[in-house]
Amino acid sequence: MAKEIKKVVLAYSGGLDTSIIIPWLKENYNNCEVVAVAADVGQGSELTGLEEKAKKTGASKLYIADLKDSFVEDYIWPTLQAGAVYENSYLLGTSFARPLIAKRLVEIAKAENADAICHGCTGKGNDQVRFELAIKAFAPEMPIIAPWRIWSIKSRDEEIDYAEAHNVPLKITRETNYSKDKNLWHLSHEGLDLEDPANEPQYNKPGFLELGVSPEQAPDKPTYITLHFEKGVPTKLDGRKLGGVEMIEELNRLGGENGIGLADIVENRLVGMKSRGVYETPGGTILYHAHNKLEEICLDKATYHYKQQVAIKFAEMVYNGEWFTPLREALSAFVTSTQQTVTGDVKLKLYKGNIIDAGVTSDYSLYDEEIATFSEDEVYNQADSAGFINLFGLPIKVQAMKRQKLEKAGK
C-alpha cells in the first residue's frame, strides 16, 4: 500500500496529533506529498501561523477552508431547531463539526487527485467514526489512513517524544497537556486531572476556562437579553439583526462573562467506553434555553412531546457521525416542519451561571389567557371535565372492578 500512496490529504489542526503525523506519513509512505487542510470553524487564533508550521513540518501546502457560515447554517441551526442534546448535557459541539470538515477534505482530495485521506483521531474516540462515515458518504473508495490505529505511539507523552525528536514545534508542555477541541460553538477539555471523575474541574484556575469565567467570578449584577427567532432560527439580539456567526460570537461573550454554559460530563462514547470531559458552550446554552422557551408557547402538546423523542434520536445520530444518512435528513425534514410557527421574542436574565426566564411573546402563541385564567371566564366550562375524566379513567375503573370481583371470588 505504501508504494501506491504518493499524495495524502491530512485533516490538520496544528495540534500535537496532526503535527507529528506529517513527518510520520513521509517516513512510512515513501516520502509521500502531504497536503494539509485546516478547517476554520471558528477556532480563531489557533489558525495563526499554521501555514508556516505545516510547511516546516513537511507539508507541501496548507489549505485553510473557511467553513464558519456553513457550520452555523447547515449544522448548528438544524441541530438547535431539533433541540438535540446528547445524554441531557452535551450540546454536540465537536460532533456536528466533523462531518462538515470531512466533506471539505473529500472535495480537496478530489481536486488534488490525492491517493488517501488521513486524520489524527485516536482509536478510542468518536471522531474517527464521524470523519470516516462522512468520507465514505462522498468518496466510498478513498483509502483512509488513521495513524493512531497503526503506529507504535501509545500515549501523548510518546507523541511529545516523537515531536521533540523530529523538531516539531509545540505550544504545549507535558504538564499542561489537556486535550482540547475549540470551534465557534464550544471548547472541550479532556485528560490530565479530568480523567478521574472524583476531581472537581479547576474552573477558577487561571487559563483553564477560555470562553468565559466560573459562576463565582461572574458579575454580581444580572445581564438582560432579548432574542428574536424566525422559524426556530435566532435572527436578532436586543433588536439588532445579526448573522449566525455574529450571533454565536456575541452570545459566547455575554454568556461567558456571566459564567453560563459549563458542563462536566461522563458520557458514553460510541466505541463503548465512558469518557469524562468538561465543555464550555456559553452561547449555545443560551440559545437552546431560549429556543425551548419559545417552543413551549408555539407548539401544540402532541408535536412538542413527540419532538422531544425525536430530539433524543437526532442527538444520538449526530453524536455517532450519522449526519449524511437518509434518517437524519428525514428527521430534519420533520423538525423543519415543526418550526414554521416558532417565531417570537424571548427575554432572559443571565446571572452567575444561571439562565432565568424573563418573558416570552409570539404572534403564534397557543397560550390563551382567557382559557388558562384562574379568574372568572366564559370560555371554559369546568363542568365538562367530569365526563372527560369518566371516559379517560374508564380503563382504570374497569380494571379495579375486575380485581374486586376476583378478590370476592377468592381468586
Side-chain angles (χ1 to χ4, degrees):
M1 184 177 180
K3 293 181 179 179
E4 299 171 359
I5 293 178
K6 298 179 180 178
K7 182 185 286 190
V8 179
V9 166
L10 168 66
Y12 182 74
S13 68
L16 177 59
D17 294 337
T18 57
S19 292
I20 67 170
I21 282 175
I22 295 176
W24 182 87
L25 284 171
K26 298 179 78 67
E27 282 183 358
N28 290 273
Y29 292 89
N30 294 329
N31 199 33
C32 64
E33 180 182 353
V34 178
V35 176
V37 178
D40 181 0
V41 286
Q43 59 270 52
S45 61
E46 291 183 9
L47 297 168
T48 303
L50 273 196
E51 182 173 10
E52 180 183 5
K53 182 176 181 180
K55 289 183 176 179
K56 279 187 176 180
T57 314
S60 62
K61 66 177 75 170
L62 172 71
Y63 286 88
I64 296 182
D66 187 348
L67 304 177
K68 294 190 293 295
D69 287 333
S70 179
F71 185 31
V72 175
E73 300 295 333
D74 302 328
Y75 298 82
I76 292 178
W77 287 168
T79 307
L80 168 68
Q81 289 175 309
V85 181
Y86 185 70
E87 296 187 337
N88 299 315
S89 300
Y90 176 41
L91 299 186
L92 300 164
T94 298
S95 306
F96 50 29
R98 297 319 192 205
L100 167 68
I101 296 170
K103 183 181 179 183
R104 186 64 179 131
L105 283 174
V106 170
E107 292 168 351
I108 292 174
K110 289 181 176 179
E112 287 280 344
N113 292 314
D115 303 304
I117 292 175
C118 179
H119 64 73
C121 308
T122 73
K124 289 185 176 181
N126 302 302
D127 280 344
Q128 59 181 333
V129 182
R130 297 165 183 156
F131 270 113
E132 294 187 30
L133 292 190
I135 293 169
K136 291 178 187 298
F138 295 101
E141 306 302 325
M142 178 70 72
I144 299 171
I145 301 173
W148 267 105
R149 300 203 294 251
I150 56 179
W151 64 14
S152 60
I153 297 172
K154 300 300 181 186
S155 68
R156 291 179 71 79
D157 270 345
E158 290 184 12
E159 283 188 287
I160 294 174
D161 291 339
Y162 186 95
E164 291 173 347
H166 291 77
N167 298 314
V168 175
L170 298 175
K171 294 182 179 179
I172 61 174
T173 68
R174 295 177 195 270
E175 291 73 30
T176 61
N177 190 21
Y178 283 111
S179 176
K180 297 188 179 187
D181 178 74
K182 183 180 182 182
N183 59 39
L184 179 67
W185 187 247
H186 90 154
L187 174 65
S188 64
H189 309 257
E190 294 179 321
L192 296 181
D193 57 304
L194 297 178
E195 290 189 345
D196 185 350
N199 292 330
E200 179 182 2
Q202 301 301 302
Y203 292 132
N204 292 315
K205 183 179 180 181
F208 181 76
L209 296 178
E210 297 182 27
L211 300 185
V213 299
S214 69
E216 298 96 324
Q217 295 173 326
D220 294 330
K221 182 181 178 181
T223 299
Y224 282 89
I225 63 170
T226 299
L227 281 163
H228 178 74
F229 288 80
E230 292 283 342
K231 295 184 177 181
V233 173
T235 58
K236 293 180 183 178
L237 174 60
D238 296 329
R240 293 181 295 127
K241 190 168 185 177
L242 297 176
V245 173
E246 294 175 295
M247 177 68 74
I248 294 171
E249 288 176 339
E250 184 65 9
L251 289 175
N252 276 342
R253 182 184 69 79
L254 291 168
E257 289 174 353
N258 287 280
I260 304 293
L262 300 178
D264 179 3
I265 309 168
V266 176
E267 69 197 56
N268 288 294
R269 284 185 175 177
L270 174 59
V271 294
M273 70 181 70
K274 289 186 180 290
S275 173
R276 197 269 188 99
V278 169
Y279 297 92
E280 299 180 60
T281 321
T285 301
I286 294 170
L287 285 170
Y288 265 77
H289 186 106
H291 180 261
N292 179 69
K293 195 65 185 176
L294 188 58
E295 284 192 327
E296 283 182 7
I297 66 170
C298 293
L299 297 185
D300 64 279
K301 175 183 174 181
T303 301
Y304 186 61
H305 286 191
Y306 191 76
K307 187 172 177 289
Q308 289 176 324
Q309 298 177 49
V310 169
I312 294 173
K313 182 61 178 177
F314 197 104
E316 287 180 348
M317 295 193 74
V318 175
Y319 187 86
N320 293 344
E322 298 173 293
W323 188 270
F324 300 113
T325 61
L327 179 55
R328 198 284 306 166
E329 292 172 0
L331 293 181
S332 283
F334 164 77
V335 169
T336 298
S337 176
T338 68
Q339 299 299 290
Q340 299 309 300
T341 60
V342 184
T343 296
D345 294 296
V346 183
K347 187 177 181 181
L348 301 171
K349 179 165 67 173
L350 312 180
Y351 183 66
K352 289 190 175 295
N354 298 290
I355 303 175
I356 303 166
D357 297 318
V360 56
T361 59
S362 172
D363 290 339
Y364 298 93
S365 174
L366 299 178
Y367 177 84
D368 190 317
E369 187 174 352
E370 189 175 2
I371 293 176
T373 182
F374 283 95
S375 301
E376 183 178 353
D377 69 89
E378 298 179 356
V379 179
Y380 189 97
N381 185 353
Q382 298 194 32
D384 290 344
S385 62
F388 163 74
I389 294 171
N390 286 335
L391 293 177
F392 187 67
L394 184 59
I396 296 174
K397 181 178 179 180
V398 170
Q399 187 179 38
M401 291 170 65
K402 173 61 70 173
R403 184 173 63 249
Q404 289 176 349
K405 185 177 181 180
L406 291 171
E407 289 174 351
K408 286 182 179 179
K411 296 182 180 180

